[in-house]
């Protein structure tokens, strides 16, 4: 990354990191990215954060996979701490594409013949294109014959989507984040946009400077607090208690929008009953916020002319994640804060294409566009499109797949661009289960922790090296162009999926992603009027879109919701504590998340020279007061234990962390935070409780 004047071509694409979906131009010289500039995209208006600007060099990393690999006979499948991804030859041997694809496909065919379709599953990727997500789920459903297909949405916003589908009839945002520019009140909860959605955060700051009231409700402090009018740092895990109190105040003081509720919703009376006892006085001891401050914030939100809510994984990654999101939906519905400029409900989506991958059906209970696999009519539509009978049983979710591996029910897996051996909760357990698979095929850019357990490794393409569409958190479908040639023998992911499908007997003949996109338009009403040609001309089109010559709808549900009768629904909630509470043996609260410079399991950003130089080391973040109580200096080495495992790393004093809490980034393989996390699931979204576990900490000598 350097002098942008000295490039020999400039190629337009989209940033491969977060769900903001910043449009970029890659400046290329001699087939290397030398600079990245922000374009005037609808989500970024020429802005980029440090990852978008400096995080492209991972594609040139020396550990890049350049040829297919096959595991050597007799090499153990346990993770080897001495394994060197740059010198994998002790564990793997190079293979031709022909041999690797034959071995991959015949392994799946053998298991399907021996144990049936339920023995096979796939994890697709929110970092691949929409077309690749579509092909991946189509292969699992029509080639493997099961609905056991999922991706990282299960670890991210699955509970938010469950609540939104149930309450509004749609799992996507009701308004883009740039509606905040017109809001009177902006509520940020369970999210840290300056770290995780940095360009979106710049619009929130500007809105606050313009005069919008910013409310932040989160156990952790954050940089945006400086711009906030109200900051409620409540007790971790008590979200439902806090929001029930806010709703109680709004109902008790008659601040709700009776006209909106009567015209657009159902279930309000039952909901009222569910929060009738949740007075601020009753909830204050649970959530740790004084009753008068709860009242003040409830009034501020309810009396705003326009208010918008943004949330992140602080809301969703709990065993009560769906209830948390139900509270936010109830807040917006009770006050009539959707469907108008400056209003809305917006779960800030994590990965760059998690919205698009979910829309394309990379989930076990839904066909594309959230059409239930159990709905015979929906199945019939796709059976006609794909000329194949489809399974009707909902498939297994990410953590359920691990349980099925342990039980010997799941024996073969195809994993594209995901790294469950780093991202799943209770990693020792998950890694053991993955190692038990009889046939594991991993398609990726590097030999990730998951790929180390594979039988066959297929070298894939980085987003920067291929053409395709992605959909950001705002529902904006955007086109990316290939800026670089593929290195070595690496192939585009869509090509690899098709090559496997053909070997499994499927008559696929796609020659370009645009043909896949055309097929998607036949199955997905959400993509109506968004042609490939249009994307080439306009770069981004928001769905839903009413006609080929109109922009898509930035705000949806002004008149009706896509539910029976057109009404949104309130759902009753009741406070439940987290699954594992601190006790004498494990007295601290563990929470995990991201840091600005790194992305998810670090497979890309830790191989980016600039990003890894900025944040090279795993640190456990604790409040200075907690460190003081424990008698630890600010860079002490510690052991952190939960009931599931132990890691060793240094601490960092961080006043944004609540007293008694430990924050761990989950991107460092040398101190993998998910060795400690709790796999307990939200019953609806099936998302694990990454945001709360009981832990203990002890000082150790330097490692
Ligand atoms: Fe990329 Fe997100 Fe940063 Fe934009 S905000 S440059 S999409 S990581």
């Amino acid at each position: 990354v350097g002098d942008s004047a000295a490039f020999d071509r400039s190629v337009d694409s989209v940033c491969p990191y977060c769900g903001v979906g910043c449009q970029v131009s890659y400046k290329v010289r001699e087939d290397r990215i030398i600079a990245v500039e922000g374009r005037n995209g609808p989500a970024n208006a020429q802005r980029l954060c440090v990852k978008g600007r400096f995080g492209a060099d991972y594609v040139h990393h020396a550990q890049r996979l350049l040829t297919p690999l096959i595991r050597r006979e007799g090499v153990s499948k346990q993770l080897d701490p001495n394994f060197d991804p740059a010198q994998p030859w002790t564990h793997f041997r190079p293979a031709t594409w022909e041999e690797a694809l034959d071995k991959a496909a015949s392994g799946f065919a053998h298991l399907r013949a021996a144990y049936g379709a339920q023995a096979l599953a796939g994890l697709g990727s929110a970092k691949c294109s929409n077309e690749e997500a579509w092909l991946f789920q189509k292969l699992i459903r029509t080639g493997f014959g099961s609905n056991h297909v999922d991706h990282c949405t299960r670890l991210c916003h699955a509970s938010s989507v469950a609540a939104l589908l149930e309450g509004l009839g749609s799992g996507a945002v009701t308004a883009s984040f740039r509606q905040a520019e017109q809001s009177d009140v902006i509520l940020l909860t369970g999210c840290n946009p300056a770290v995780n959605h940095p360009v979106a955060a710049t619009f929130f700051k500007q809105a606050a400077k313009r005069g919008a009231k910013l409310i932040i409700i989160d156990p952790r402090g954050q940089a945006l607090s400086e711009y906030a009018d109200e900051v409620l740092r409540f007790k971790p895990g008590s979200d439902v208690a806090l929001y029930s109190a806010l709703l109680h105040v709004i109902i008790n003081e008659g601040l709700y929008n009776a006209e909106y509720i009567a015209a657009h919703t159902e279930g309000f009376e039952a909901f009222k009953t569910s929060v009738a006892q949740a007075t601020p006085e009753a909830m204050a001891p649970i959530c740790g916020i004084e009753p008068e401050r709860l009242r003040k914030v409830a009034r501020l939100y309810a009396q705003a002319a326009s208010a918008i809510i943004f949330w992140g994984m602080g809301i969703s990654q709990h065993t009560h994640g769906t209830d948390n999101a139900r509270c936010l939906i109830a807040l917006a519905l009770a006050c009539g804060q959707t469907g108008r400029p400056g209003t809305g409900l917006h779960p800030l989506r994590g990965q760059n294409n998690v919205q698009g991958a979910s829309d394309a059906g990379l989930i076990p209970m839904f066909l594309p566009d959230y059409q239930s696999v159990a709905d015979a009519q929906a199945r019939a539509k796709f059976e006609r499109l794909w000329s194949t009978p489809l399974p009707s049983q909902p498939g297994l979710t990410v953590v359920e797949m691990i349980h099925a591996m342990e039980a010997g029910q799941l024996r073969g897996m195809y994993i594209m661009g995901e790294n469950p051996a780093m991202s799943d909760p209770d990693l020792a357990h998950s890694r053991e289960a993955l190692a038990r698979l009889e046939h594991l095929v991993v398609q990726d850019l590097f030999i990730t922790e998951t790929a180390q357990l594979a039988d066959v490794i297929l070298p894939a393409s980085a987003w920067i090296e291929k053409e395709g569409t992605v959909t950001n958190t705002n529902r904006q479908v955007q086109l990316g162009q290939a800026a670089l040639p593929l290195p070595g023998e690496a192939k585009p992911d869509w090509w690899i999926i098709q090559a496997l499908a053909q070997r499994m007997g499927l008559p696929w003949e796609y020659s370009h992603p645009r043909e896949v996109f055309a097929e998607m338009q036949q199955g997905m009403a959400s993509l109506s009027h968004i042609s490939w040609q249009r994307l080439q001309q306009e770069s981004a089109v928001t769905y839903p879109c009413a006609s080929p010559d109109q922009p898509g709808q930035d705000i949806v549900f002004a008149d009706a919701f896509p539910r029976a009768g057109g009404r949104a629904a309130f759902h009753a909630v009741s406070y439940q504590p987290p699954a594992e509470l601190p006790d004498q043996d494990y007295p601290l609260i563990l929470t995990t998340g991201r840091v600005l410079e790194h992305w998810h399991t670090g497979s890309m950003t830790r191989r980016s020279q600039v990003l890894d130089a900025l944040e090279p080391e795993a640190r456990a973040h604790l409040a200075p007061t907690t460190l003081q109580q424990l008698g630890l200096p600010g860079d002490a080495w510690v052991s952190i234990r939960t009931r599931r495992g132990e890691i060793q790393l240094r601490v960092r004093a961080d006043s944004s962390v609540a007293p008694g809490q430990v924050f761990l980034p989950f991107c460092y393989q040398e101190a993998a935070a998910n060795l400690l996390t709790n796999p307990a699931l939200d019953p609806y979204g099936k998302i694990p409780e990454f945001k709360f576990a009981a832990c203990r900490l002890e000082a150790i000598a330097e490692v």
Side-chain angles (χ1 to χ4, degrees):
V1 178
D3 177 7
S4 66
F7 58 89
D8 51 41
R9 64 181 185 275
S10 174
V11 182
D12 290 348
S13 190
V14 183
C15 173
Y17 289 111
C18 86
V20 170
C22 296
Q23 290 191 354
V24 298
S25 282
Y26 289 115
K27 311 298 177 188
V28 185
R29 184 173 63 214
E30 293 170 3
D31 290 339
R32 290 186 80 83
I33 305 283
I34 58 160
V36 186
E37 286 182 1
R39 287 191 287 143
N40 194 18
N44 65 313
Q46 293 177 317
R47 305 165 194 200
L48 292 179
C49 79
V50 67
K51 289 189 287 291
R53 197 170 289 285
F54 297 112
D57 56 335
Y58 70 93
V59 294
H60 302 304
H61 194 274
Q63 290 175 358
R64 189 69 195 273
L65 274 166
L66 301 177
T67 183
L69 300 175
I70 290 178
R71 176 174 291 279
R72 290 189 186 279
E73 288 292 322
V75 173
S76 158
K77 276 199 172 180
Q78 300 301 317
L79 279 187
D80 176 355
N82 299 316
F83 179 79
D84 177 3
Q87 296 295 327
W89 314 119
T90 46
H91 291 57
F92 299 95
R93 64 173 174 83
T96 62
W97 270 105
E98 208 60 21
E99 184 189 9
L101 288 168
D102 283 349
K103 186 169 170 63
S106 63
F108 292 132
H110 163 76
L111 289 174
R112 192 182 51 190
Y115 304 104
Q118 301 304 316
L120 300 177
L123 286 181
S125 173
K127 302 217 78 60
C128 287
S129 67
N130 287 327
E131 298 73 41
E132 289 161 344
W134 171 274
L135 290 184
F136 192 91
Q137 58 87 35
K138 182 177 169 182
L139 169 62
I140 302 302
R141 294 191 156 110
T142 64
F144 285 13
S146 80
N147 283 311
H148 299 332
V149 60
D150 209 354
H151 75 296
C152 69
T153 188
R154 197 65 44 209
L155 309 176
C156 171
H157 264 304
S159 46
S160 309
V161 172
L164 286 165
L165 281 168
E166 166 198 83
L168 308 189
S170 162
V173 301
T174 71
S176 82
F177 63 71
R178 291 197 62 181
Q179 283 301 319
E181 292 171 281
Q182 300 181 56
S183 305
D184 293 318
V185 166
I186 300 167
L187 167 53
L188 303 178
T189 183
C191 59
N192 189 354
V195 167
N196 298 321
H197 301 84
V199 166
T202 65
F203 293 104
F204 304 154
K205 279 184 210 171
Q206 279 181 305
K209 278 185 161 174
R210 187 249 306 149
K213 302 275 185 218
L214 185 60
I215 304 170
I216 299 181
I217 303 183
D218 199 300
R220 281 183 73 200
Q222 57 180 282
L224 285 177
S225 302
E226 219 179 289
Y227 299 80
D229 295 83
E230 292 294 333
V231 179
L232 303 185
R233 289 183 64 176
F234 65 100
K235 288 185 189 171
S238 65
D239 316 57
V240 171
L242 184 148
Y243 283 104
S244 297
L246 299 187
L247 281 149
H248 176 94
V249 172
I250 289 167
I251 292 166
N252 199 42
E253 297 187 5
L255 301 175
Y256 55 91
N257 186 334
E259 206 179 315
Y260 181 91
I261 292 168
H264 296 291
T265 73
E266 62 191 30
F268 183 59
E269 288 307 316
F271 185 81
K272 258 167 93 170
T273 310
S274 80
V275 295
Q277 306 303 318
T279 63
E281 283 70 20
M283 296 298 110
I286 303 173
C287 69
I289 305 294
E290 307 82 31
E292 269 323 299
R293 295 197 68 204
L294 292 169
R295 287 195 174 86
K296 190 175 173 196
V297 166
R299 291 169 191 150
L300 189 56
Y301 177 84
Q303 291 173 338
S306 57
I308 190 163
I309 304 176
F310 296 98
W311 73 95
M313 280 161 255
I315 288 291
S316 60
Q317 289 178 334
H318 285 284
T319 46
H320 49 86
T322 303
D323 273 348
N324 289 351
R326 283 171 174 158
C327 289
L328 303 179
I329 293 165
L331 204 53
L333 295 179
C335 301
Q337 295 289 11
T338 62
R340 292 179 287 113
T343 68
L345 286 158
H346 190 125
L348 286 156
R349 303 308 304 256
Q351 300 249 20
N352 65 326
N353 197 34
V354 69
Q355 183 66 58
S358 302
D359 297 342
L362 212 55
I363 29 185
M365 57 293 277
F366 294 118
L367 291 157
D369 262 356
Y370 308 93
Q371 299 169 76
S372 170
V373 296
D375 177 343
Q377 236 180 326
R379 273 203 319 281
K381 174 177 146 184
F382 285 95
E383 285 169 348
R384 276 195 301 279
L385 183 62
W386 295 335
S387 310
T388 319
L390 290 171
S392 59
Q393 281 295 316
L396 298 169
T397 58
V398 169
V399 176
E400 289 172 340
M401 287 181 192
I402 295 292
H403 298 322
M405 289 173 211
E406 287 172 325
Q409 289 157 2
L410 206 57
R411 293 165 184 264
M413 271 198 90
Y414 178 23
I415 300 180
M416 171 180 77
E418 293 242 329
N419 193 6
M422 274 291 287
S423 60
D424 276 11
D426 189 9
L427 272 186
H429 212 203
S430 304
R431 289 172 175 176
E432 193 66 42
L434 286 162
R436 285 184 62 174
L437 286 169
E438 289 169 39
H439 187 58
L440 174 59
V441 177
V442 174
Q443 176 173 323
D444 216 310
L445 307 180
F446 303 102
I447 305 183
T448 61
E449 292 69 24
T450 305
Q452 287 178 43
L453 304 170
D455 297 280
V456 181
I457 304 177
L458 305 172
S461 48
W463 170 245
I464 301 172
E465 297 155 353
K466 63 191 171 189
E467 195 173 355
T469 68
V470 282
T471 307
N472 70 359
T473 189
N474 288 339
R475 294 181 267 103
Q476 287 150 349
V477 185
Q478 309 199 86
L479 187 65
Q481 307 286 348
L484 296 173
L486 286 157
E489 294 175 41
K491 298 281 188 194
D493 294 80
W494 68 266
W495 183 95
I496 305 172
I497 304 164
Q498 169 160 274
L500 269 175
Q502 288 168 337
R503 278 167 175 75
M504 296 198 69
L506 298 174
W508 294 11
E509 289 295 342
Y510 306 99
S511 62
H512 190 275
R514 83 169 76 82
E515 295 166 12
V516 183
F517 190 80
E519 182 181 300
M520 292 171 73
Q521 286 194 289
Q522 291 177 55
M524 297 172 68
S526 63
L527 295 180
S528 298
H529 311 299
I530 306 178
S531 66
W532 191 271
Q533 290 78 1
R534 189 173 173 188
L535 289 170
Q536 282 176 317
Q537 283 156 14
E538 299 177 31
S539 279
V541 182
T542 302
Y543 79 77
C545 182
S547 76
D549 53 2
Q550 279 185 36
Q553 295 173 34
D554 204 51
I555 303 166
V556 289
F557 315 145
D559 303 317
F561 292 90
R563 294 182 78 252
R567 288 172 179 274
F570 287 90
H571 277 270
V573 292
S574 68
Y575 166 70
Q576 300 293 331
E580 183 183 70
L581 294 172
D583 56 20
Q584 241 183 341
D585 294 335
Y586 297 93
L588 299 170
I589 297 168
L590 173 74
T591 189
T592 66
R594 285 166 284 178
V595 289
L596 170 65
E597 294 80 3
H598 287 300
W599 191 249
H600 280 244
T601 67
S603 58
M604 291 154 64
T605 52
R606 296 226 47 218
R607 291 178 173 93
S608 162
Q609 215 181 338
V610 176
L611 297 179
D612 203 46
L614 289 171
E615 196 61 53
E617 187 191 346
R619 294 282 189 129
H621 299 226
L622 284 94
T625 48
T626 314
L627 287 174
Q628 224 169 15
Q629 279 164 9
L630 295 166
L632 293 172
D635 61 350
W637 278 90
V638 294
S639 147
I640 302 179
R641 277 178 198 278
T642 66
R643 291 183 174 84
R644 293 155 291 280
E646 187 219 354
I647 63 171
Q648 299 181 342
L649 71 175
R650 284 199 289 177
V651 298
R652 176 181 286 166
D654 180 348
S655 54
S656 76
V657 179
Q661 198 173 25
V662 180
F663 169 78
L664 287 177
F666 64 90
C667 59
Y668 295 94
Q669 55 81 21
E670 60 274 34
N674 279 321
L675 285 164
L676 309 181
T677 46
N678 188 354
L681 299 181
D682 171 272
Y684 308 98
K686 306 287 176 81
I687 193 169
E689 192 148 62
F690 289 119
K691 289 288 185 266
F692 200 111
C695 72
R696 73 165 177 258
L697 183 146
E698 284 152 19
I700 56 169
E702 183 171 340
V703 175

